[in-house]
PDB file of all heavy atoms in Angstrom:
ATOM      1  N   TYR A  16      23.859  14.445  -7.726  1.00  0.00           N
ATOM      2  CA  TYR A  16      22.478  14.668  -7.188  1.00  0.00           C
ATOM      3  C   TYR A  16      21.360  13.903  -7.965  1.00  0.00           C
ATOM      4  O   TYR A  16      20.512  13.250  -7.443  1.00  0.00           O
ATOM      5  CB  TYR A  16      22.162  16.173  -7.094  1.00  0.00           C
ATOM      6  CG  TYR A  16      20.686  16.452  -6.811  1.00  0.00           C
ATOM      7  CD1 TYR A  16      20.143  16.366  -5.530  1.00  0.00           C
ATOM      8  CD2 TYR A  16      19.848  16.812  -7.785  1.00  0.00           C
ATOM      9  CE1 TYR A  16      18.899  16.643  -5.237  1.00  0.00           C
ATOM     10  CE2 TYR A  16      18.485  17.120  -7.565  1.00  0.00           C
ATOM     11  CZ  TYR A  16      18.000  17.047  -6.234  1.00  0.00           C
ATOM     12  OH  TYR A  16      16.670  17.240  -6.004  1.00  0.00           O
ATOM     13  N   SER A  17      21.477  14.074  -9.369  1.00  0.00           N
ATOM     14  CA  SER A  17      20.537  13.396 -10.233  1.00  0.00           C
ATOM     15  C   SER A  17      20.600  11.825 -10.008  1.00  0.00           C
ATOM     16  O   SER A  17      19.565  11.208  -9.952  1.00  0.00           O
ATOM     17  CB  SER A  17      20.825  13.709 -11.676  1.00  0.00           C
ATOM     18  OG  SER A  17      20.689  15.107 -11.927  1.00  0.00           O
ATOM     19  N   ARG A  18      21.799  11.304  -9.852  1.00  0.00           N
ATOM     20  CA  ARG A  18      21.894   9.881  -9.714  1.00  0.00           C
ATOM     21  C   ARG A  18      21.343   9.411  -8.372  1.00  0.00           C
ATOM     22  O   ARG A  18      20.562   8.405  -8.339  1.00  0.00           O
ATOM     23  CB  ARG A  18      23.446   9.479  -9.792  1.00  0.00           C
ATOM     24  CG  ARG A  18      23.704   7.967  -9.585  1.00  0.00           C
ATOM     25  CD  ARG A  18      23.487   7.224 -10.893  1.00  0.00           C
ATOM     26  NE  ARG A  18      23.734   5.812 -10.619  1.00  0.00           N
ATOM     27  CZ  ARG A  18      24.969   5.197 -10.669  1.00  0.00           C
ATOM     28  NH1 ARG A  18      26.024   5.949 -10.990  1.00  0.00           N
ATOM     29  NH2 ARG A  18      25.091   3.986 -10.471  1.00  0.00           N
ATOM     30  N   ILE A  19      21.653  10.035  -7.314  1.00  0.00           N
ATOM     31  CA  ILE A  19      21.157   9.643  -6.007  1.00  0.00           C
ATOM     32  C   ILE A  19      19.731   9.934  -5.835  1.00  0.00           C
ATOM     33  O   ILE A  19      19.006   9.108  -5.208  1.00  0.00           O
ATOM     34  CB  ILE A  19      22.017  10.341  -4.824  1.00  0.00           C
ATOM     35  CG1 ILE A  19      23.488   9.954  -4.928  1.00  0.00           C
ATOM     36  CG2 ILE A  19      21.439  10.043  -3.528  1.00  0.00           C
ATOM     37  CD1 ILE A  19      24.357  10.672  -4.018  1.00  0.00           C
ATOM     38  N   ARG A  20      19.211  10.984  -6.394  1.00  0.00           N
ATOM     39  CA  ARG A  20      17.809  11.243  -6.379  1.00  0.00           C
ATOM     40  C   ARG A  20      17.001  10.130  -7.019  1.00  0.00           C
ATOM     41  O   ARG A  20      15.980   9.687  -6.528  1.00  0.00           O
ATOM     42  CB  ARG A  20      17.458  12.571  -7.027  1.00  0.00           C
ATOM     43  CG  ARG A  20      15.955  12.976  -6.927  1.00  0.00           C
ATOM     44  CD  ARG A  20      15.643  14.258  -7.644  1.00  0.00           C
ATOM     45  NE  ARG A  20      15.948  14.112  -9.079  1.00  0.00           N
ATOM     46  CZ  ARG A  20      15.756  15.090  -9.948  1.00  0.00           C
ATOM     47  NH1 ARG A  20      15.405  16.283  -9.584  1.00  0.00           N
ATOM     48  NH2 ARG A  20      16.005  14.904 -11.222  1.00  0.00           N
ATOM     49  N   ALA A  21      17.530   9.660  -8.147  1.00  0.00           N
ATOM     50  CA  ALA A  21      16.904   8.503  -8.823  1.00  0.00           C
ATOM     51  C   ALA A  21      16.845   7.219  -7.979  1.00  0.00           C
ATOM     52  O   ALA A  21      15.866   6.562  -7.840  1.00  0.00           O
ATOM     53  CB  ALA A  21      17.609   8.184 -10.130  1.00  0.00           C
ATOM     54  N   ILE A  22      17.971   6.982  -7.235  1.00  0.00           N
ATOM     55  CA  ILE A  22      18.032   5.936  -6.307  1.00  0.00           C
ATOM     56  C   ILE A  22      17.001   5.968  -5.188  1.00  0.00           C
ATOM     57  O   ILE A  22      16.224   5.099  -4.900  1.00  0.00           O
ATOM     58  CB  ILE A  22      19.491   5.734  -5.746  1.00  0.00           C
ATOM     59  CG1 ILE A  22      20.481   5.360  -6.844  1.00  0.00           C
ATOM     60  CG2 ILE A  22      19.492   4.631  -4.729  1.00  0.00           C
ATOM     61  CD1 ILE A  22      21.896   5.525  -6.388  1.00  0.00           C
ATOM     62  N   ASN A  23      16.997   7.256  -4.594  1.00  0.00           N
ATOM     63  CA  ASN A  23      16.044   7.460  -3.520  1.00  0.00           C
ATOM     64  C   ASN A  23      14.602   7.335  -3.920  1.00  0.00           C
ATOM     65  O   ASN A  23      13.727   6.853  -3.178  1.00  0.00           O
ATOM     66  CB  ASN A  23      16.321   8.827  -2.855  1.00  0.00           C
ATOM     67  CG  ASN A  23      17.625   8.972  -2.081  1.00  0.00           C
ATOM     68  OD1 ASN A  23      18.298   7.886  -1.993  1.00  0.00           O
ATOM     69  ND2 ASN A  23      17.941  10.059  -1.530  1.00  0.00           N
ATOM     70  N   GLU A  24      14.265   7.852  -5.108  1.00  0.00           N
ATOM     71  CA  GLU A  24      12.945   7.859  -5.597  1.00  0.00           C
ATOM     72  C   GLU A  24      12.462   6.439  -5.786  1.00  0.00           C
ATOM     73  O   GLU A  24      11.292   6.041  -5.454  1.00  0.00           O
ATOM     74  CB  GLU A  24      12.779   8.638  -6.872  1.00  0.00           C
ATOM     75  CG  GLU A  24      12.823  10.127  -6.695  1.00  0.00           C
ATOM     76  CD  GLU A  24      12.766  10.971  -7.913  1.00  0.00           C
ATOM     77  OE1 GLU A  24      12.941  10.332  -9.006  1.00  0.00           O
ATOM     78  OE2 GLU A  24      12.627  12.180  -7.889  1.00  0.00           O
ATOM     79  N   VAL A  25      13.290   5.554  -6.346  1.00  0.00           N
ATOM     80  CA  VAL A  25      12.916   4.137  -6.539  1.00  0.00           C
ATOM     81  C   VAL A  25      12.681   3.465  -5.188  1.00  0.00           C
ATOM     82  O   VAL A  25      11.751   2.701  -4.950  1.00  0.00           O
ATOM     83  CB  VAL A  25      13.928   3.394  -7.380  1.00  0.00           C
ATOM     84  CG1 VAL A  25      13.601   1.907  -7.503  1.00  0.00           C
ATOM     85  CG2 VAL A  25      14.074   3.992  -8.762  1.00  0.00           C
ATOM     86  N   ALA A  26      13.618   3.796  -4.218  1.00  0.00           N
ATOM     87  CA  ALA A  26      13.465   3.183  -2.866  1.00  0.00           C
ATOM     88  C   ALA A  26      12.135   3.650  -2.229  1.00  0.00           C
ATOM     89  O   ALA A  26      11.434   2.861  -1.588  1.00  0.00           O
ATOM     90  CB  ALA A  26      14.623   3.581  -2.058  1.00  0.00           C
ATOM     91  N   LEU A  27      11.813   4.958  -2.344  1.00  0.00           N
ATOM     92  CA  LEU A  27      10.630   5.465  -1.765  1.00  0.00           C
ATOM     93  C   LEU A  27       9.415   4.866  -2.416  1.00  0.00           C
ATOM     94  O   LEU A  27       8.370   4.529  -1.742  1.00  0.00           O
ATOM     95  CB  LEU A  27      10.617   6.961  -1.930  1.00  0.00           C
ATOM     96  CG  LEU A  27      11.517   7.790  -0.949  1.00  0.00           C
ATOM     97  CD1 LEU A  27      11.506   9.260  -1.324  1.00  0.00           C
ATOM     98  CD2 LEU A  27      11.063   7.603   0.512  1.00  0.00           C
ATOM     99  N   GLY A  28       9.486   4.693  -3.743  1.00  0.00           N
ATOM    100  CA  GLY A  28       8.382   4.016  -4.460  1.00  0.00           C
ATOM    101  C   GLY A  28       8.131   2.646  -3.913  1.00  0.00           C
ATOM    102  O   GLY A  28       6.935   2.194  -3.727  1.00  0.00           O
ATOM    103  N   GLU A  29       9.153   1.848  -3.676  1.00  0.00           N
ATOM    104  CA  GLU A  29       9.018   0.474  -3.179  1.00  0.00           C
ATOM    105  C   GLU A  29       8.442   0.488  -1.695  1.00  0.00           C
ATOM    106  O   GLU A  29       7.568  -0.274  -1.387  1.00  0.00           O
ATOM    107  CB  GLU A  29      10.296  -0.254  -3.165  1.00  0.00           C
ATOM    108  CG  GLU A  29      10.257  -1.731  -2.694  1.00  0.00           C
ATOM    109  CD  GLU A  29      11.531  -2.449  -2.777  1.00  0.00           C
ATOM    110  OE1 GLU A  29      12.499  -1.937  -3.297  1.00  0.00           O
ATOM    111  OE2 GLU A  29      11.505  -3.624  -2.276  1.00  0.00           O
ATOM    112  N   ILE A  30       8.897   1.402  -0.916  1.00  0.00           N
ATOM    113  CA  ILE A  30       8.416   1.543   0.489  1.00  0.00           C
ATOM    114  C   ILE A  30       6.942   1.913   0.476  1.00  0.00           C
ATOM    115  O   ILE A  30       6.163   1.425   1.220  1.00  0.00           O
ATOM    116  CB  ILE A  30       9.233   2.497   1.284  1.00  0.00           C
ATOM    117  CG1 ILE A  30      10.679   1.960   1.486  1.00  0.00           C
ATOM    118  CG2 ILE A  30       8.603   2.826   2.667  1.00  0.00           C
ATOM    119  CD1 ILE A  30      11.648   2.991   2.019  1.00  0.00           C
ATOM    120  N   GLU A  31       6.605   2.888  -0.360  1.00  0.00           N
ATOM    121  CA  GLU A  31       5.227   3.347  -0.394  1.00  0.00           C
ATOM    122  C   GLU A  31       4.317   2.258  -0.895  1.00  0.00           C
ATOM    123  O   GLU A  31       3.199   2.042  -0.363  1.00  0.00           O
ATOM    124  CB  GLU A  31       5.128   4.588  -1.370  1.00  0.00           C
ATOM    125  CG  GLU A  31       3.760   5.152  -1.400  1.00  0.00           C
ATOM    126  CD  GLU A  31       3.638   6.405  -2.241  1.00  0.00           C
ATOM    127  OE1 GLU A  31       4.523   6.556  -3.190  1.00  0.00           O
ATOM    128  OE2 GLU A  31       2.764   7.237  -2.102  1.00  0.00           O
ATOM    129  N   LEU A  32       4.760   1.469  -1.888  1.00  0.00           N
ATOM    130  CA  LEU A  32       3.892   0.390  -2.376  1.00  0.00           C
ATOM    131  C   LEU A  32       3.750  -0.685  -1.323  1.00  0.00           C
ATOM    132  O   LEU A  32       2.672  -1.264  -1.204  1.00  0.00           O
ATOM    133  CB  LEU A  32       4.503  -0.224  -3.651  1.00  0.00           C
ATOM    134  CG  LEU A  32       3.733  -1.324  -4.370  1.00  0.00           C
ATOM    135  CD1 LEU A  32       2.329  -0.824  -4.733  1.00  0.00           C
ATOM    136  CD2 LEU A  32       4.441  -1.856  -5.578  1.00  0.00           C
ATOM    137  N   TRP A  33       4.771  -0.949  -0.618  1.00  0.00           N
ATOM    138  CA  TRP A  33       4.727  -1.916   0.489  1.00  0.00           C
ATOM    139  C   TRP A  33       3.708  -1.490   1.554  1.00  0.00           C
ATOM    140  O   TRP A  33       2.863  -2.282   1.999  1.00  0.00           O
ATOM    141  CB  TRP A  33       6.128  -2.099   1.133  1.00  0.00           C
ATOM    142  CG  TRP A  33       6.107  -2.801   2.474  1.00  0.00           C
ATOM    143  CD1 TRP A  33       5.866  -4.117   2.741  1.00  0.00           C
ATOM    144  CD2 TRP A  33       6.320  -2.088   3.739  1.00  0.00           C
ATOM    145  NE1 TRP A  33       5.982  -4.292   4.085  1.00  0.00           N
ATOM    146  CE2 TRP A  33       6.281  -3.119   4.743  1.00  0.00           C
ATOM    147  CE3 TRP A  33       6.646  -0.789   4.146  1.00  0.00           C
ATOM    148  CZ2 TRP A  33       6.486  -2.888   6.095  1.00  0.00           C
ATOM    149  CZ3 TRP A  33       6.767  -0.544   5.473  1.00  0.00           C
ATOM    150  CH2 TRP A  33       6.729  -1.607   6.418  1.00  0.00           C
ATOM    151  N   SER A  34       3.754  -0.182   1.921  1.00  0.00           N
ATOM    152  CA  SER A  34       2.786   0.312   2.868  1.00  0.00           C
ATOM    153  C   SER A  34       1.378   0.294   2.354  1.00  0.00           C
ATOM    154  O   SER A  34       0.465  -0.103   3.097  1.00  0.00           O
ATOM    155  CB  SER A  34       3.166   1.786   3.221  1.00  0.00           C
ATOM    156  OG  SER A  34       2.246   2.329   4.106  1.00  0.00           O
ATOM    157  N   LYS A  35       1.172   0.666   1.060  1.00  0.00           N
ATOM    158  CA  LYS A  35      -0.108   0.551   0.438  1.00  0.00           C
ATOM    159  C   LYS A  35      -0.669  -0.817   0.411  1.00  0.00           C
ATOM    160  O   LYS A  35      -1.833  -1.116   0.597  1.00  0.00           O
ATOM    161  CB  LYS A  35      -0.074   1.208  -0.935  1.00  0.00           C
ATOM    162  CG  LYS A  35      -0.087   2.738  -0.949  1.00  0.00           C
ATOM    163  CD  LYS A  35      -0.097   3.258  -2.368  1.00  0.00           C
ATOM    164  CE  LYS A  35      -0.121   4.732  -2.420  1.00  0.00           C
ATOM    165  NZ  LYS A  35      -0.188   5.231  -3.839  1.00  0.00           N
ATOM    166  N   SER A  36       0.231  -1.848   0.073  1.00  0.00           N
ATOM    167  CA  SER A  36      -0.191  -3.166   0.046  1.00  0.00           C
ATOM    168  C   SER A  36      -0.752  -3.746   1.331  1.00  0.00           C
ATOM    169  O   SER A  36      -1.757  -4.433   1.429  1.00  0.00           O
ATOM    170  CB  SER A  36       0.957  -4.070  -0.468  1.00  0.00           C
ATOM    171  OG  SER A  36       1.317  -3.763  -1.733  1.00  0.00           O
ATOM    172  N   ALA A  37      -0.063  -3.348   2.393  1.00  0.00           N
ATOM    173  CA  ALA A  37      -0.538  -3.734   3.723  1.00  0.00           C
ATOM    174  C   ALA A  37      -1.848  -3.097   4.051  1.00  0.00           C
ATOM    175  O   ALA A  37      -2.830  -3.778   4.510  1.00  0.00           O
ATOM    176  CB  ALA A  37       0.506  -3.329   4.806  1.00  0.00           C
ATOM    177  N   ALA A  38      -2.015  -1.843   3.783  1.00  0.00           N
ATOM    178  CA  ALA A  38      -3.277  -1.078   3.970  1.00  0.00           C
ATOM    179  C   ALA A  38      -4.424  -1.716   3.115  1.00  0.00           C
ATOM    180  O   ALA A  38      -5.524  -1.844   3.588  1.00  0.00           O
ATOM    181  CB  ALA A  38      -3.110   0.348   3.777  1.00  0.00           C
ATOM    182  N   ALA A  39      -4.069  -1.986   1.893  1.00  0.00           N
ATOM    183  CA  ALA A  39      -5.111  -2.451   0.942  1.00  0.00           C
ATOM    184  C   ALA A  39      -5.591  -3.885   1.335  1.00  0.00           C
ATOM    185  O   ALA A  39      -6.781  -4.185   1.272  1.00  0.00           O
ATOM    186  CB  ALA A  39      -4.533  -2.547  -0.433  1.00  0.00           C
ATOM    187  N   GLN A  40      -4.623  -4.683   1.846  1.00  0.00           N
ATOM    188  CA  GLN A  40      -5.022  -6.012   2.320  1.00  0.00           C
ATOM    189  C   GLN A  40      -6.032  -5.934   3.521  1.00  0.00           C
ATOM    190  O   GLN A  40      -7.033  -6.634   3.535  1.00  0.00           O
ATOM    191  CB  GLN A  40      -3.783  -6.774   2.747  1.00  0.00           C
ATOM    192  CG  GLN A  40      -4.052  -8.211   3.138  1.00  0.00           C
ATOM    193  CD  GLN A  40      -2.801  -8.896   3.791  1.00  0.00           C
ATOM    194  OE1 GLN A  40      -2.897  -9.898   4.400  1.00  0.00           O
ATOM    195  NE2 GLN A  40      -1.626  -8.264   3.557  1.00  0.00           N
ATOM    196  N   LEU A  41      -5.705  -4.992   4.423  1.00  0.00           N
ATOM    197  CA  LEU A  41      -6.605  -4.811   5.535  1.00  0.00           C
ATOM    198  C   LEU A  41      -7.933  -4.218   5.096  1.00  0.00           C
ATOM    199  O   LEU A  41      -9.000  -4.668   5.520  1.00  0.00           O
ATOM    200  CB  LEU A  41      -5.894  -3.798   6.566  1.00  0.00           C
ATOM    201  CG  LEU A  41      -6.781  -3.364   7.804  1.00  0.00           C
ATOM    202  CD1 LEU A  41      -7.147  -4.643   8.552  1.00  0.00           C
ATOM    203  CD2 LEU A  41      -5.967  -2.371   8.620  1.00  0.00           C
ATOM    204  N   ASP A  42      -7.893  -3.216   4.239  1.00  0.00           N
ATOM    205  CA  ASP A  42      -9.134  -2.688   3.742  1.00  0.00           C
ATOM    206  C   ASP A  42     -10.006  -3.689   2.989  1.00  0.00           C
ATOM    207  O   ASP A  42     -11.249  -3.629   3.100  1.00  0.00           O
ATOM    208  CB  ASP A  42      -8.833  -1.476   2.683  1.00  0.00           C
ATOM    209  CG  ASP A  42      -8.269  -0.218   3.455  1.00  0.00           C
ATOM    210  OD1 ASP A  42      -8.517  -0.133   4.621  1.00  0.00           O
ATOM    211  OD2 ASP A  42      -7.581   0.579   2.747  1.00  0.00           O
ATOM    212  N   ALA A  43      -9.392  -4.500   2.240  1.00  0.00           N
ATOM    213  CA  ALA A  43     -10.141  -5.536   1.529  1.00  0.00           C
ATOM    214  C   ALA A  43     -10.853  -6.456   2.514  1.00  0.00           C
ATOM    215  O   ALA A  43     -12.067  -6.799   2.316  1.00  0.00           O
ATOM    216  CB  ALA A  43      -9.197  -6.368   0.636  1.00  0.00           C
ATOM    217  N   GLN A  44     -10.204  -6.854   3.554  1.00  0.00           N
ATOM    218  CA  GLN A  44     -10.853  -7.803   4.540  1.00  0.00           C
ATOM    219  C   GLN A  44     -11.867  -7.101   5.378  1.00  0.00           C
ATOM    220  O   GLN A  44     -12.902  -7.710   5.712  1.00  0.00           O
ATOM    221  CB  GLN A  44      -9.772  -8.536   5.331  1.00  0.00           C
ATOM    222  CG  GLN A  44      -8.909  -9.369   4.487  1.00  0.00           C
ATOM    223  CD  GLN A  44      -8.211 -10.517   5.251  1.00  0.00           C
ATOM    224  OE1 GLN A  44      -8.715 -10.937   6.283  1.00  0.00           O
ATOM    225  NE2 GLN A  44      -7.085 -10.953   4.711  1.00  0.00           N
ATOM    226  N   LEU A  45     -11.627  -5.807   5.645  1.00  0.00           N
ATOM    227  CA  LEU A  45     -12.668  -5.020   6.388  1.00  0.00           C
ATOM    228  C   LEU A  45     -13.882  -4.878   5.464  1.00  0.00           C
ATOM    229  O   LEU A  45     -15.046  -4.981   5.959  1.00  0.00           O
ATOM    230  CB  LEU A  45     -12.076  -3.643   6.710  1.00  0.00           C
ATOM    231  CG  LEU A  45     -11.074  -3.629   7.858  1.00  0.00           C
ATOM    232  CD1 LEU A  45     -10.406  -2.169   7.968  1.00  0.00           C
ATOM    233  CD2 LEU A  45     -11.618  -4.030   9.209  1.00  0.00           C
ATOM    234  N   ARG A  46     -13.622  -4.602   4.216  1.00  0.00           N
ATOM    235  CA  ARG A  46     -14.764  -4.404   3.335  1.00  0.00           C
ATOM    236  C   ARG A  46     -15.509  -5.715   3.145  1.00  0.00           C
ATOM    237  O   ARG A  46     -16.798  -5.652   3.158  1.00  0.00           O
ATOM    238  CB  ARG A  46     -14.195  -3.932   1.910  1.00  0.00           C
ATOM    239  CG  ARG A  46     -15.260  -3.498   0.959  1.00  0.00           C
ATOM    240  CD  ARG A  46     -14.654  -2.787  -0.213  1.00  0.00           C
ATOM    241  NE  ARG A  46     -13.576  -3.607  -0.879  1.00  0.00           N
ATOM    242  CZ  ARG A  46     -12.255  -3.285  -0.869  1.00  0.00           C
ATOM    243  NH1 ARG A  46     -11.850  -2.142  -0.221  1.00  0.00           N
ATOM    244  NH2 ARG A  46     -11.404  -4.018  -1.472  1.00  0.00           N
ATOM    245  N   GLU A  47     -14.874  -6.860   3.026  1.00  0.00           N
ATOM    246  CA  GLU A  47     -15.535  -8.104   2.874  1.00  0.00           C
ATOM    247  C   GLU A  47     -16.341  -8.398   4.106  1.00  0.00           C
ATOM    248  O   GLU A  47     -17.419  -9.020   3.999  1.00  0.00           O
ATOM    249  CB  GLU A  47     -14.554  -9.171   2.569  1.00  0.00           C
ATOM    250  CG  GLU A  47     -13.929  -9.147   1.197  1.00  0.00           C
ATOM    251  CD  GLU A  47     -15.027  -9.394   0.035  1.00  0.00           C
ATOM    252  OE1 GLU A  47     -16.062 -10.037   0.297  1.00  0.00           O
ATOM    253  OE2 GLU A  47     -14.803  -8.853  -1.046  1.00  0.00           O
ATOM    254  N   ARG A  48     -15.785  -8.074   5.304  1.00  0.00           N
ATOM    255  CA  ARG A  48     -16.513  -8.388   6.523  1.00  0.00           C
ATOM    256  C   ARG A  48     -17.832  -7.551   6.629  1.00  0.00           C
ATOM    257  O   ARG A  48     -18.853  -8.056   7.069  1.00  0.00           O
ATOM    258  CB  ARG A  48     -15.625  -8.147   7.730  1.00  0.00           C
ATOM    259  CG  ARG A  48     -16.279  -8.422   9.103  1.00  0.00           C
ATOM    260  CD  ARG A  48     -16.818  -9.853   9.193  1.00  0.00           C
ATOM    261  NE  ARG A  48     -15.894 -10.861   8.893  1.00  0.00           N
ATOM    262  CZ  ARG A  48     -15.076 -11.500   9.746  1.00  0.00           C
ATOM    263  NH1 ARG A  48     -15.180 -11.117  11.006  1.00  0.00           N
ATOM    264  NH2 ARG A  48     -14.252 -12.399   9.327  1.00  0.00           N
ATOM    265  N   ARG A  49     -17.755  -6.285   6.219  1.00  0.00           N
ATOM    266  CA  ARG A  49     -18.928  -5.475   6.266  1.00  0.00           C
ATOM    267  C   ARG A  49     -19.906  -5.993   5.264  1.00  0.00           C
ATOM    268  O   ARG A  49     -21.168  -5.958   5.528  1.00  0.00           O
ATOM    269  CB  ARG A  49     -18.490  -4.010   5.970  1.00  0.00           C
ATOM    270  CG  ARG A  49     -17.722  -3.362   7.092  1.00  0.00           C
ATOM    271  CD  ARG A  49     -17.539  -1.844   6.891  1.00  0.00           C
ATOM    272  NE  ARG A  49     -16.776  -1.261   7.973  1.00  0.00           N
ATOM    273  CZ  ARG A  49     -15.439  -0.953   7.902  1.00  0.00           C
ATOM    274  NH1 ARG A  49     -14.804  -1.071   6.738  1.00  0.00           N
ATOM    275  NH2 ARG A  49     -14.866  -0.428   8.894  1.00  0.00           N
ATOM    276  N   ARG A  50     -19.507  -6.410   4.123  1.00  0.00           N
ATOM    277  CA  ARG A  50     -20.482  -6.991   3.147  1.00  0.00           C
ATOM    278  C   ARG A  50     -21.059  -8.232   3.731  1.00  0.00           C
ATOM    279  O   ARG A  50     -22.262  -8.508   3.489  1.00  0.00           O
ATOM    280  CB  ARG A  50     -19.715  -7.321   1.810  1.00  0.00           C
ATOM    281  CG  ARG A  50     -19.367  -6.093   0.996  1.00  0.00           C
ATOM    282  CD  ARG A  50     -18.558  -6.551  -0.271  1.00  0.00           C
ATOM    283  NE  ARG A  50     -18.211  -5.435  -1.135  1.00  0.00           N
ATOM    284  CZ  ARG A  50     -17.413  -5.503  -2.103  1.00  0.00           C
ATOM    285  NH1 ARG A  50     -16.770  -6.664  -2.380  1.00  0.00           N
ATOM    286  NH2 ARG A  50     -17.145  -4.488  -2.878  1.00  0.00           N
ATOM    287  N   ALA A  51     -20.275  -8.998   4.387  1.00  0.00           N
ATOM    288  CA  ALA A  51     -20.754 -10.262   4.973  1.00  0.00           C
ATOM    289  C   ALA A  51     -21.832  -9.946   6.008  1.00  0.00           C
ATOM    290  O   ALA A  51     -22.913 -10.650   6.060  1.00  0.00           O
ATOM    291  CB  ALA A  51     -19.656 -11.051   5.676  1.00  0.00           C
ATOM    292  N   PHE A  52     -21.654  -8.923   6.838  1.00  0.00           N
ATOM    293  CA  PHE A  52     -22.705  -8.474   7.770  1.00  0.00           C
ATOM    294  C   PHE A  52     -23.973  -8.112   7.084  1.00  0.00           C
ATOM    295  O   PHE A  52     -25.089  -8.493   7.483  1.00  0.00           O
ATOM    296  CB  PHE A  52     -22.199  -7.281   8.666  1.00  0.00           C
ATOM    297  CG  PHE A  52     -21.302  -7.709   9.703  1.00  0.00           C
ATOM    298  CD1 PHE A  52     -20.106  -7.058   9.984  1.00  0.00           C
ATOM    299  CD2 PHE A  52     -21.712  -8.713  10.671  1.00  0.00           C
ATOM    300  CE1 PHE A  52     -19.261  -7.391  11.042  1.00  0.00           C
ATOM    301  CE2 PHE A  52     -20.821  -9.087  11.740  1.00  0.00           C
ATOM    302  CZ  PHE A  52     -19.652  -8.385  11.930  1.00  0.00           C
ATOM    303  N   ALA A  53     -23.789  -7.330   6.007  1.00  0.00           N
ATOM    304  CA  ALA A  53     -24.950  -6.890   5.194  1.00  0.00           C
ATOM    305  C   ALA A  53     -25.674  -8.126   4.593  1.00  0.00           C
ATOM    306  O   ALA A  53     -26.935  -8.180   4.639  1.00  0.00           O
ATOM    307  CB  ALA A  53     -24.540  -5.922   4.048  1.00  0.00           C
ATOM    308  N   ARG A  54     -24.940  -9.102   4.078  1.00  0.00           N
ATOM    309  CA  ARG A  54     -25.583 -10.232   3.455  1.00  0.00           C
ATOM    310  C   ARG A  54     -26.341 -11.111   4.536  1.00  0.00           C
ATOM    311  O   ARG A  54     -27.339 -11.638   4.285  1.00  0.00           O
ATOM    312  CB  ARG A  54     -24.489 -11.146   2.707  1.00  0.00           C
ATOM    313  CG  ARG A  54     -24.062 -10.490   1.484  1.00  0.00           C
ATOM    314  CD  ARG A  54     -23.300 -11.469   0.591  1.00  0.00           C
ATOM    315  NE  ARG A  54     -22.015 -11.954   1.265  1.00  0.00           N
ATOM    316  CZ  ARG A  54     -20.837 -11.351   0.964  1.00  0.00           C
ATOM    317  NH1 ARG A  54     -20.744 -10.360   0.087  1.00  0.00           N
ATOM    318  NH2 ARG A  54     -19.735 -11.723   1.569  1.00  0.00           N
TER     319      ARG A  54
END
């Protein structure tokens, strides 16, 4: 259980970071576009 849990946790960490990276990329461009409108 300890061994497989460690494997699963690393896999989940990679999937979560992948999901966050996609969301962050979108947030960054949305944020820049709103700043552009303000400028």
